[in-house]
Amino acid sequence: MKKRAAFFDIDGTLYRDSLMVEHFKKLIKYEIIDEKTWIDHARGTFLNWDKRQGNYDDYLLEVCNLYVDSLTGVDWRSIDFAANQVIKTKADRVYKYTRSQIERHLKNGDIVIFISGSPDFLVKKMAEKYNVTDYLGSKYIMEDGKFSGKLVPMWDSESKNKAINELIEKYDIDLDESFAYGDTNGDINMLRKVGHPVAINPTNELLSKLREDPVLKKKADIIVERKDILYKLKPDVQVLSYDDLSD
């Protein structure tokens, strides 16, 4: 018999922020990389976002580029030390809904897979913490015990789609009975593949894609977790834009 699976994105879907950003902060805290790189390049973009005057995706893209540049040439022991500190101090900072769904799927004997754009060494540690079946993250390539500056990304929809196809074959997965959980447009193909797609605190771009897709518009659920309340919605939910606030 084919098996039922549950695919989970991590950043913004399980974890409340970005594992890569948290790792970057730990590298700075322990003086593995120079704090000046953050102050000179990403701090302004972050403050704009924090004041809701900028775009979070712009901030993440800038941090990602800076992270890769800063990490290049850093030895694996230092990278792994900072990664362990992230898991030790931050790994429980997750959405309650997503955590409960992981537990439910594992209890039901489902295959549970993490697929994330975060570095594979961080995704691996999260996968071990939550006892999931398998995982895939952006592969950071080490050479001579140091990060080479090369990586194989896993944050775009095309990369995730290819990875899922390989996992489907590996585990003989019944997609019609399977679940997927994501929050950004990079998860759209993953959501399209399964019988039970769930968007958790979706971005405006992802919500627009759900509305445009006639199949997803009917079968996708949207979960919004705020404070101590969960909202379960459909893609046709009324959405206000910031421009509406000035009317």
Side-chain angles (χ1 to χ4, degrees):
M1 289 181 61
K2 289 193 171 186
K3 304 175 184 67
R4 187 170 70 176
F7 300 93
F8 287 86
D9 172 56
I10 294 180
D11 297 333
T13 300
L14 170 61
Y15 187 64
R16 289 177 175 266
D17 206 322
S18 163
L19 289 176
M20 178 196 69
V21 171
E22 294 296 346
H23 189 238
F24 195 9
K25 290 177 180 178
K26 294 296 185 188
L27 291 167
I28 292 171
K29 177 181 179 179
Y30 294 106
E31 300 182 349
I32 297 168
I33 62 177
D34 190 353
E35 184 179 11
K36 190 174 184 295
T37 59
W38 165 267
I39 295 172
D40 289 349
H41 298 281
R43 185 172 180 269
T45 312
F46 169 74
L47 290 175
N48 283 338
W49 155 250
D50 198 42
K51 293 181 289 187
R52 297 305 188 264
Q53 295 174 353
N55 186 291
Y56 187 62
D57 288 339
D58 292 341
Y59 162 63
L60 275 186
L61 179 61
E62 187 170 351
V63 172
C64 181
N65 292 332
L66 183 59
Y67 175 81
V68 172
D69 289 343
S70 301
L71 204 62
T72 300
V74 175
D75 68 275
W76 167 246
R77 288 180 299 176
S78 297
I79 292 171
D80 190 50
F81 169 77
N84 285 331
Q85 294 305 306
V86 170
I87 300 303
K88 180 179 179 180
T89 62
K90 298 292 184 178
D92 290 318
R93 189 171 177 259
V94 298
Y95 289 110
K96 291 181 179 180
Y97 171 82
T98 313
R99 182 178 61 202
S100 70
Q101 293 305 100
I102 292 170
E103 293 170 353
R104 179 176 71 86
H105 285 296
L106 289 172
K107 183 178 179 180
N108 290 340
D110 298 336
I111 294 166
V112 179
I113 300 170
F114 283 174
I115 300 181
S116 173
S118 278
D120 52 351
F121 51 84
L122 288 167
V123 177
K124 177 183 179 182
K125 293 178 188 299
M126 285 292 279
E128 291 171 347
K129 176 177 176 59
Y130 287 95
N131 297 310
V132 304
T133 314
D134 210 338
Y135 71 92
L136 283 171
S138 295
K139 185 173 179 59
Y140 281 61
I141 299 171
M142 303 292 162
E143 294 177 356
D144 299 323
K146 298 179 179 180
F147 175 51
S148 66
K150 305 171 188 174
L151 71 153
V152 181
M154 189 59 68
W155 52 69
D156 59 287
S157 59
E158 183 178 346
S159 297
K160 286 190 175 183
N161 192 50
K162 181 181 178 182
I164 291 170
N165 286 338
E166 293 172 355
L167 290 165
I168 291 167
E169 184 174 348
K170 178 179 179 180
Y171 290 104
D172 194 22
I173 292 170
D174 183 343
L175 288 176
D176 289 338
E177 295 296 322
S178 294
F179 293 73
Y181 303 83
D183 72 311
T184 69
N185 195 50
D187 302 314
I188 189 67
N189 284 332
M190 181 172 76
L191 297 174
R192 283 179 177 141
K193 280 184 175 295
V194 299
H196 306 281
V198 182
I200 298 177
N201 299 325
T203 62
N204 186 52
E205 184 180 17
L206 176 58
L207 180 57
S208 296
K209 293 292 184 182
L210 296 178
R211 291 171 182 265
E212 293 167 6
D213 187 308
V215 177
L216 284 175
K217 187 175 181 179
K218 290 182 179 180
K219 70 178 182 179
D221 286 324
I222 295 171
I223 299 295
V224 177
E225 181 173 327
R226 288 293 182 268
K227 296 184 173 67
D228 58 351
I229 297 178
L230 289 174
Y231 303 89
K232 185 176 182 180
L233 311 166
K234 299 304 289 185
D236 60 358
V237 62
Q238 182 181 5
V239 177
L240 296 177
S241 72
Y242 288 107
D243 292 337
D244 296 328
L245 301 179
S246 60
D247 294 340

